[in-house]
């Protein structure tokens, strides 16, 4: 999904994601409170993080390499 003109795409560090998700899922903080406390602006991203955390655990929130792997030299 392209970013619209004038909008910026936020990137959150792993520690911020983990803290916010744990506060909501494990500590019983409401989603609105957790998002406000950790400065998360996107509701959809936050709920996606929570769902993947519940299904796959902590490793699902770690950053992954993106793009095509480098070509092997011979």
């Amino acid at each position: 999904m392209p970013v619209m003109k004038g909008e910026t795409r936020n990137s959150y560090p792993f520690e911020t994601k983990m803290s916010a998700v744990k506060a909501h899922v494990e500590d019983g903080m409401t989603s609105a409170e957790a998002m406000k406390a950790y400065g998360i602006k996107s509701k959809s991203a936050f709920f996606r993080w929570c769902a993947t955390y519940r299904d796959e655990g902590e490793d699902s929130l770690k950053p992954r390499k993106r793009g095509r792997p480098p070509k092997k030299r011979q």
Side-chain angles (χ1 to χ4, degrees):
M1 179 179 198
V3 177
M4 303 293 279
K5 187 176 181 178
E7 293 181 21
T8 58
R9 185 162 186 237
N10 291 321
S11 178
Y12 300 96
F14 169 72
E15 293 79 16
T16 303
K17 289 181 188 179
M18 240 1 270
S19 299
V21 168
K22 280 188 175 184
H24 175 62
V25 174
E26 296 176 4
D27 299 338
M29 188 182 277
T30 66
S31 58
E33 291 171 343
M35 289 174 62
K36 187 174 183 179
Y38 294 96
I40 298 164
K41 296 179 182 177
S42 174
K43 240 190 247 189
S44 60
F46 180 71
F47 287 121
R48 187 174 54 247
W49 299 341
C50 291
T52 57
Y53 175 74
R54 285 185 190 108
D55 293 343
E56 302 170 28
E58 190 172 313
D59 289 338
S60 65
L61 298 177
K62 289 186 179 176
R64 295 184 221 28
K65 284 191 171 187
R66 296 186 177 246
R68 186 176 185 164
K71 188 174 181 181
K72 293 182 181 178
R73 296 184 181 186
Q74 293 180 355

